[in-house]
Amino acid sequence: MSRTRDLIERRELAVAKGVATRGIYAARAENAELWDVDGKRYLDLAAGIAVNNTGHRHPKLMAAVAAQAEAFTHTCFHVAPYEGYVRLAERLNAATPGDFAKKTMLVTTGAEAVENAVKMARAFTGRSGVIAFSGAFHGRTLMGMALCGKVQPYKRAFGAMPPEVYHATFPNAYHGVTPEMSLAQLDQLFRSTIDPERVAAIIIEPVQGEGGFNIAPPEFLRGLRAVCDTHGIVLIADEVQAGMARTGKLFAMEHAGVAADLVTMAKGLAGGFPLSAVTGQAEIVDAAPMGGIGGTYAGNPLAVAAANAVLDVIADENLCTRAEQVGDVLRHRLTAMAARQGMEVIGDVRGVGAMVAFELVTDRATRAPDAALTQAIVAEAEALGLIILPCGTHGNVVRLLPPLTIPIAQVDEALDILEAALEAAIGKAARAA
């Protein structure tokens, strides 16, 4: 029996079934490469779901964490604060969009960052309503689930959601939903369902992650900014997956020239160490009462050291430009694949920076989703040594999230494998039909 098979059997007996996993059991990783417990090499175009933007085990991150471990690993910032936390807060205050005084709090997960942003918005406005969007993903906590615009698997079987959370329609050019339509639907929500004077916050992903890498058009984000300004609503940008240079800017909102009141970030922030943050207008962040936000592990010293190193690497290695270069290679090759005869199952290729996806359909006329083919492509790619991920509200989108430090030769190698996986999956589907 292989070590992988043994671990799969052990996992089935010991780990909660609801914790979904793949069949790859990692032994070691370096930059964009990962080797499993049986020695098989993979090219990693998932990066831990946009976490390892600086690659697996970047030397500067490893050195920073090792140095911090020599000093201390935990004191709890509430009990004995430390300079690294303060320095990271100062850097995030300076880096996030917006020409206004800012403050930052650090927590551990993206869902925690979202929860605390909502708490801040409610405390600041004295209101309780929150609006999110169709296709959104904001975490698996109760508030995170309520904000999600995708039922399966995030809401199913978990009962009643927290009240006063509403959903508007996210723009989707491929499926004919224009920014104007989405803004009109939001206005209708205000007229028929909730008074805007009861809305504390509108939260949006500038590029949806789990929802299918749908990009919010700049004019839509500018329209949301205007709506929030008119009604005194806090605009929250969820940059958990799209942030930290992934889209070619440090934060995806920068592409639209729009500054949110609060920004949530995690994933790529600490390059593999658990850390998240809320950064935003000082008066909003400070609206929470003393002791009302934080946590025992919030702003862990090792993760904070890693995050400060990540910001150094992004600047020193010009990873925003690198994200554009990697993304251009991905989109060019995918567009060429989609133009080939027999590849009509690729309905759309989209993305910004190195956050790229393609949508699979049964035919291009109806644009009906093909989730089964999507899963087959992911499985074929894994068998051939490539890690990719599905996403989308219909499960019919393949997303590509390579480390921004990946060598271009490995991007080309990964795309060769992806093309072979596509051909294999399409061929098997045709023979089964």
Side-chain angles (χ1 to χ4, degrees):
M1 180 184 293
S2 70
R3 293 187 64 195
T4 296
R5 173 48 55 190
D6 177 58
L7 283 166
I8 289 171
E9 292 183 2
R10 288 169 58 191
R11 178 248 182 271
E12 289 174 353
L13 292 171
V15 180
K17 183 179 179 181
V19 180
T21 58
R22 304 282 290 278
I24 303 167
Y25 283 77
R28 62 187 179 94
E30 194 77 24
N31 199 7
E33 297 174 285
L34 182 148
W35 290 264
D36 73 7
V37 292
D38 292 309
K40 182 175 179 178
R41 171 184 176 266
Y42 294 85
L43 287 172
D44 185 0
L45 265 60
I49 316 183
V51 167
N52 297 310
N53 290 359
T54 52
H56 292 281
R57 301 182 66 253
H58 192 288
K60 289 186 178 179
L61 268 68
M62 302 311 293
V65 172
Q68 179 59 53
E70 288 293 320
F72 58 90
T73 61
H74 175 75
T75 63
C76 182
F77 192 74
H78 301 293
V79 176
Y82 30 92
E83 187 270 344
Y85 186 123
V86 176
R87 178 158 46 96
L88 181 58
E90 290 169 340
R91 297 177 76 178
L92 294 177
N93 294 341
T96 48
D99 185 19
F100 42 76
K102 303 191 196 89
K103 287 192 176 182
T104 290
M105 74 163 296
L106 302 179
V107 273
T108 308
T109 69
E112 275 187 283
V114 167
E115 294 259 353
N116 279 283
V118 170
K119 287 163 67 175
M120 292 171 186
R122 285 177 165 175
F124 177 72
T125 62
R127 308 171 183 178
S128 52
V130 183
I131 295 173
F133 290 89
S134 58
F137 179 79
H138 298 292
R140 292 179 175 88
T141 55
L142 277 172
M143 177 56 73
M145 282 193 300
L147 294 169
C148 282
K150 181 178 177 181
V151 171
Q152 178 65 27
Y154 305 117
K155 295 184 177 184
R156 185 184 175 202
F158 296 129
M161 297 292 114
E164 293 205 90
V165 173
Y166 306 88
H167 288 86
T169 302
F170 194 92
N172 189 315
Y174 182 60
H175 291 285
V177 183
T178 66
E180 294 77 16
M181 292 166 66
S182 293
L183 289 169
Q185 201 270 336
L186 178 62
D187 182 67
Q188 183 59 34
L189 188 69
F190 288 154
R191 295 175 185 278
S192 64
T193 306
I194 182 170
D195 181 351
E197 303 306 313
R198 279 178 45 214
V199 178
I202 295 176
I203 183 168
I204 188 166
E205 298 163 277
V207 183
Q208 289 190 327
E210 298 295 319
F213 281 29
N214 305 307
I215 303 164
E219 62 269 32
F220 179 67
L221 292 175
R222 290 193 288 266
L224 281 186
R225 179 70 274 175
V227 167
C228 289
D229 290 342
T230 297
H231 297 291
I233 297 168
V234 174
L235 180 61
I236 303 171
D238 183 338
E239 296 265 7
V240 168
Q241 189 163 161
M244 311 319 297
R246 171 56 57 183
T247 66
K249 302 283 188 183
L250 193 59
F251 298 99
M253 289 288 278
E254 295 180 69
H255 290 283
V258 173
D261 300 303
L262 298 174
V263 177
T264 64
M265 61 200 92
K267 291 190 182 289
L269 175 61
F273 291 84
L275 186 73
S276 61
V278 183
T279 298
Q281 289 204 44
E283 59 181 344
I284 300 175
V285 175
D286 279 347
M290 186 73 71
I293 56 177
T296 301
Y297 295 106
N300 171 268
L302 300 177
V304 166
N308 275 307
V310 163
L311 292 178
D312 291 341
V313 171
I314 288 172
D316 294 346
E317 300 185 17
N318 202 7
L319 292 190
C320 288
T321 298
R322 180 70 174 166
E324 294 282 8
Q325 293 169 345
V326 170
D328 286 345
V329 174
L330 293 172
R331 286 187 295 274
H332 177 78
R333 182 75 174 273
L334 287 170
T335 301
M337 288 184 205
R340 278 180 44 199
Q341 186 173 0
M343 290 284 189
E344 291 83 3
V345 294
I346 300 176
D348 190 37
V349 174
R350 54 181 177 264
V352 56
M355 191 172 184
V356 178
F358 57 98
E359 184 164 345
L360 292 147
V361 295
T362 55
D363 70 80
R364 289 178 176 170
T366 65
R367 302 185 178 183
D370 197 335
L373 181 61
T374 304
Q375 291 296 333
I377 290 166
V378 171
E380 292 286 350
E382 182 175 310
L384 294 171
L386 176 65
I387 303 173
I388 55 177
L389 298 171
C391 63
T393 53
H394 297 284
N396 68 313
V397 179
V398 172
R399 54 179 155 171
L400 306 179
L401 290 162
L404 307 182
T405 50
I406 185 173
I408 294 299
Q410 289 183 2
V411 178
D412 291 333
E413 181 186 357
L415 288 166
D416 288 342
I417 296 171
L418 178 60
E419 188 163 3
L422 273 159
E423 292 170 347
I426 292 167
K428 287 179 181 179
R431 289 191 292 273

